[in-house]
Amino acid sequence: MKMAGREIGSGQPPYIVAEVSANHLGSLDEAKTLIRAARLAGADAVKFQAYTADSITLDCDNPDFIVKEGPWKGRRLYELYTVAQTPFEWFPALFEEAKRHGITAFASVFDTSSIDLLEKLDCPAYKIASMEITDIPLIKYAAKTGKPLIISTGMASKEEIYDASFAADMGQTRKDIAFLHCISGYPTPVGEISFGQLQKLQRFYFMSGISDHTLGWEVPVAATALGATI
């Protein structure tokens, strides 16, 4: 796999991606500051999440759409995602800022409209979040761009990972697909990492890495020692 001229794979240093998520707190200036911070820290890339509240949840008061615990307890998912989203109109400025500072920018995508937006910016790759691994039409749509795909596995079963790999490959035996071992816990206790799953991905799928939600640095270092490339 190659991202913006950087080779990723066995024998190469691990490709480090700094996740911005909602850490910009609704401020474009803060998002730009995080890009610069990622570059200064030595990351290879900075990743955003391209969604709107309407594309990721429902504007609904049903109990299933109310946060049950944590600082958002009692508030609606729609409200959370409205606050947390990275506005689509920011992306041209974010990609330009990344280019200015010599770091690659790309994004997780959650529907076809986000891919259409990012294609206009020549986004170099697409990330499929754990929660979207069963969205086969989305994976196929992203695969049709011909860009590298990075897919987190989260709570996915072996069968769901296989289905996603087939959709991403599009029958072309592509070499630019990576699957990331991921535990869908925020934060994830170190004891729940289960590196055995990372090694299974290495044996059965294309390229593997880790999407880490622990609070320290130990897990990414251990994963690298075990062959994680991203």
Side-chain angles (χ1 to χ4, degrees), residues 28-29 42 55 64 71 88 119 140 173-174 179 190 204 209 224:
L28 177 57
D29 286 342
S55 69
D64 290 337
F88 277 15
E119 275 294 282
K140 288 183 176 180
T173 318
R174 290 173 45 177
F179 282 85
V190 173
F204 296 113
T224 301

Side-chain angles (χ1 to χ4, degrees), residues 50-230:
Y51 65 80
T52 65
D54 288 314
S55 69
I56 205 168
T57 190
L58 299 176
D59 188 357
C60 176
D61 293 324
N62 184 289
D64 290 337
F65 294 82
I66 305 296
V67 180
K68 301 298 190 300
E69 56 187 28
W72 282 77
K73 183 178 180 180
R75 300 174 75 175
R76 301 189 310 144
L77 285 177
Y78 190 87
E79 179 186 359
L80 186 156
Y81 287 119
T82 298
V83 173
Q85 68 190 15
T86 301
F88 277 15
E89 58 266 26
W90 286 10
F91 278 93
L94 294 174
F95 275 50
E96 182 59 34
E97 185 75 6
K99 182 178 180 180
R100 184 179 301 116
H101 293 281
I103 187 170
T104 298
F106 69 110
S108 296
V109 291
F110 296 84
D111 71 339
T112 59
S113 69
S114 55
I115 297 174
D116 292 341
L117 164 77
L118 293 166
E119 275 294 282
K120 295 176 182 177
L121 301 175
D122 195 25
C123 186
Y126 293 107
K127 169 81 187 313
I128 303 296
S130 295
M131 69 178 72
E132 303 300 327
I133 194 170
T134 57
D135 190 344
I136 298 303
L138 176 68
I139 295 173
K140 288 183 176 180
Y141 197 83
K144 287 180 181 179
T145 68
K147 305 289 181 61
L149 300 184
I150 301 173
I151 304 173
S152 281
T153 54
M155 297 178 288
S157 66
K158 179 180 178 181
E159 291 74 22
E160 289 168 341
I161 296 171
Y162 176 81
D163 289 344
S165 71
F166 187 80
D169 185 49
M170 301 289 286
Q172 299 175 28
T173 318
R174 290 173 45 177
K175 304 298 182 183
D176 54 355
I177 303 167
F179 282 85
L180 305 186
H181 173 45
C182 175
I183 302 297
S184 296
Y186 306 90
T188 299
V190 173
E192 296 181 5
I193 288 300
S194 182
F195 281 122
Q197 181 63 20
L198 171 64
Q199 294 170 313
K200 288 180 182 178
L201 289 174
Q202 291 168 340
R203 289 197 298 270
F204 296 113
Y205 299 99
F206 299 82
M207 187 181 299
S208 66
I210 189 162
S211 175
D212 181 43
H213 300 144
T214 61
L215 296 178
W217 50 264
E218 296 87 352
V219 168
V221 171
T224 301
L226 291 170
T229 56
I230 300 174

